[in-house]
Amino acid sequence: MNDFLIVGGGVIGMMTAWQLADAGHKVTLVERGQCGREASWAGGGIVSPLYPWRHPESISRLSRWSEGYYPGLAKRLLAETGIDPEYRQKGLLYLRVEDEAEATEWARRMGKPLERVGANFLYDKEPHLAPGFEDALWMPTLGSIRNPRLGQALRAKLQSLPQVTLREHVSVERLRRQGGDIQVDTAEGPLTAARIILCGGAWTGELLKTLGLDLPVHPVKGQMMVFKTPLSSDGRLLLERVVLADGRYLIPRADGRVLIGSTLEQADFDKTPTDQAYASLYESAVAMLPALAQCEVEHHWAGLRPGSPQGIPFIGPVPSIRGLFVNAGHYRNGLVLAPAATRLLVDQLLRQAPILDPAPYHW
Ligand SMILES: Cc1cc2nc3c(=O)[nH]c(=O)nc-3n(C[C@H](O)[C@H](O)[C@H](O)COP(=O)(O)OP(=O)(O)OC[C@H]3O[C@@H](n4cnc5c(N)ncnc54)[C@H](O)[C@@H]3O)c2cc1C
């Protein structure tokens, strides 16, 4: 019997498998499609909650740990897989922030640099932004990750590890109590392990329903689009930094592409992109960066965030079921939270001193 069975190959499942394998354990990861192709692919890759001061401290604590971890993680993945997840630490400009006092107080408490800057600074940093902004909040330490490549790199890493068995295109149909253990029924037959970890993203609640359990994790649809932009004559990108205004954000990639996100919709498990969201995202993008009106929209897509109460993920044992664990419900912040959230569960699984107090994340 394998030591660990992981259900779901998003960033959460893959980072968990990697850490357990690194600690010398045998791990099987079962994924219904290809690893890293659901929310972990669809997201924007901002390595911070959008307005971090509006979140509970339990999210800030995970986020802070992960933010410190990402630069090294990206370097290690590039060195070990040849795939560059493109971690870029270029900072974030917040436009039109209404609750600046709360933001400043949060930054002071967290020891984060955050300052109000004037129009000269703003347009010097981002000359192509729409005119008329008089000031902004500037967070110089913010990073972003090219999450589809992060997924590819994690998958390549797992494929290279002899302790890891990746079973892609295998769907888990239900969980079943078998004596004192849990059995995982897949389309290709039953699987079990000493410990089973559910990392099924937005589908984790559905998986637990098959055991008669009700975990409040539900899908929240998010649509995004990407523009292909030319480099300017001086070799600068049209946009260098993440910019956020009225809940909508622009994220530049190293090759000049610019993403706009995102919608927040309750649409059950429907991932169909809509014309209405296209029009709304397009309008927001051009309002922030007018030159995008001359650029091609390369792609428009939707993904399902694993929503949870207050966006606080469930990380830890499933109560009253021996050997069953969950790591799900990271909502809008699963990419940034993934390193800390997975490490926190691995610490509990391996009985190591935890990086943080695990209590706020227990079911
Ligand atoms: C539009 C959008 C923008 C976002 N932007 C950001 C951002 O900028 N920063 C940030 O930190 N976060 C962002 N997020 C959130 C982030 O993407 C998610 O929180 C994170 O990817 C969740 O990771 P996960 O591994 O839990 O889920 P997923 O990546 O969804 O992985 C779950 C996996 O489980 C598999 N699975 C489910 N059920 C079964 C089954 N029965 N059998 C087998 N396999 C199964 C699925 O196929 C899937 O691959 C965004 C999300 C969206 C949609």
Side-chain angles (χ1 to χ4, degrees):
M1 197 198 279
N2 260 353
D3 302 332
F4 295 97
L5 174 63
I6 296 172
V7 179
V11 285
I12 300 297
M14 287 195 285
M15 285 192 193
T16 307
W18 185 12
Q19 290 170 56
L20 290 170
D22 251 2
H25 296 278
K26 280 195 170 168
V27 185
T28 296
L29 189 156
V30 190
E31 163 56 47
R32 178 164 56 193
Q34 181 179 307
C35 287
R37 298 290 302 172
E38 287 291 350
S40 301
W41 175 90
I46 301 176
V47 179
S48 166
L50 285 185
Y51 296 95
W53 54 91
R54 297 180 191 168
H55 293 276
E57 293 268 333
S58 52
I59 292 184
S60 290
R61 280 197 286 272
L62 287 174
S63 171
R64 190 163 53 172
W65 194 94
S66 288
E67 286 173 50
Y69 192 81
Y70 254 110
L73 173 71
K75 274 197 198 125
R76 186 174 164 199
L77 282 170
L78 173 59
E80 294 179 16
T81 69
I83 301 170
D84 186 358
E86 278 184 20
Y87 177 77
R88 299 174 81 238
Q89 195 172 19
K90 300 280 183 182
L92 183 153
L93 287 160
Y94 289 97
L95 307 175
R96 288 193 288 261
V97 175
E98 285 164 3
D99 49 355
E100 186 178 326
E102 286 82 354
T104 317
E105 167 53 21
W106 171 88
R108 193 195 53 73
R109 247 187 4 260
M110 291 288 149
K112 275 261 178 203
L114 183 74
E115 59 174 317
R116 182 203 275 249
V117 294
N120 286 347
F121 181 97
L122 177 61
Y123 290 105
D124 182 51
K125 291 275 185 215
E126 296 299 347
H128 301 286
L129 281 181
F133 292 109
E134 285 170 10
D135 54 30
L137 279 183
W138 168 232
M139 186 189 279
T141 52
L142 179 116
S144 64
I145 192 93
R146 194 161 183 163
N147 43 297
R149 298 211 181 154
L150 173 68
Q152 285 172 29
L154 287 168
R155 179 171 179 256
K157 181 67 210 172
L158 294 183
Q159 284 171 329
S160 75
L161 294 172
Q163 310 92 300
V164 176
T165 306
L166 262 195
R167 299 200 52 188
E168 295 187 319
H169 308 289
V170 175
S171 182
V172 171
E173 290 170 347
R174 56 172 301 166
L175 309 171
R176 189 194 296 278
R177 290 176 205 247
Q178 192 77 359
D181 295 325
I182 292 294
Q183 180 177 297
V184 172
D185 288 347
T186 77
E188 297 187 2
L191 294 170
T192 193
R195 275 163 293 177
I196 297 169
I197 307 154
L198 302 180
C199 305
W203 296 269
T204 308
E206 300 298 296
L207 282 164
L208 281 160
K209 269 188 201 156
T210 66
L211 283 172
L213 299 173
D214 189 17
L215 181 76
V217 169
H218 63 281
V220 181
K221 181 176 179 179
Q223 302 193 45
M224 296 193 74
M225 61 167 70
V226 60
F227 291 82
K228 218 170 164 177
T229 73
L231 289 181
S232 60
S233 49
D234 60 3
R236 278 185 75 156
L237 304 180
L238 189 62
L239 187 77
E240 285 279 353
R241 292 159 191 86
V242 180
V243 179
L244 182 53
D246 311 321
R248 288 271 160 96
Y249 48 83
L250 295 172
I251 307 173
R253 298 297 195 212
D255 60 10
R257 286 177 166 81
V258 175
L259 282 76
I260 171 88
S262 59
T263 65
L264 282 175
E265 303 164 62
Q266 304 296 335
D268 205 13
F269 289 96
D270 177 13
K271 283 192 299 179
T272 319
T274 62
D275 292 346
Q276 195 190 0
Y278 183 106
S280 164
L281 290 169
Y282 189 89
E283 191 186 330
S284 299
V286 172
M288 276 194 265
L289 198 63
L292 288 176
Q294 269 72 56
C295 302
E296 176 200 342
V297 174
E298 194 178 27
H299 191 34
H300 165 216
W301 66 91
L304 299 177
R305 307 175 183 91
S308 56
Q310 290 185 277
I312 302 173
F314 295 97
I315 307 170
V318 173
S320 75
I321 301 197
R322 194 184 65 204
L324 187 62
F325 297 80
V326 66
N327 201 344
H330 309 78
Y331 189 35
R332 305 191 79 175
N333 301 311
L335 292 160
V336 54
L337 301 187
T342 53
R343 171 65 187 273
L344 187 59
L345 183 61
V346 167
D347 285 343
Q348 293 170 75
L349 290 166
L350 302 184
R351 298 181 197 285
Q352 299 165 170
I355 51 164
L356 299 167
D357 176 8
Y361 317 99
H362 279 166
W363 185 356

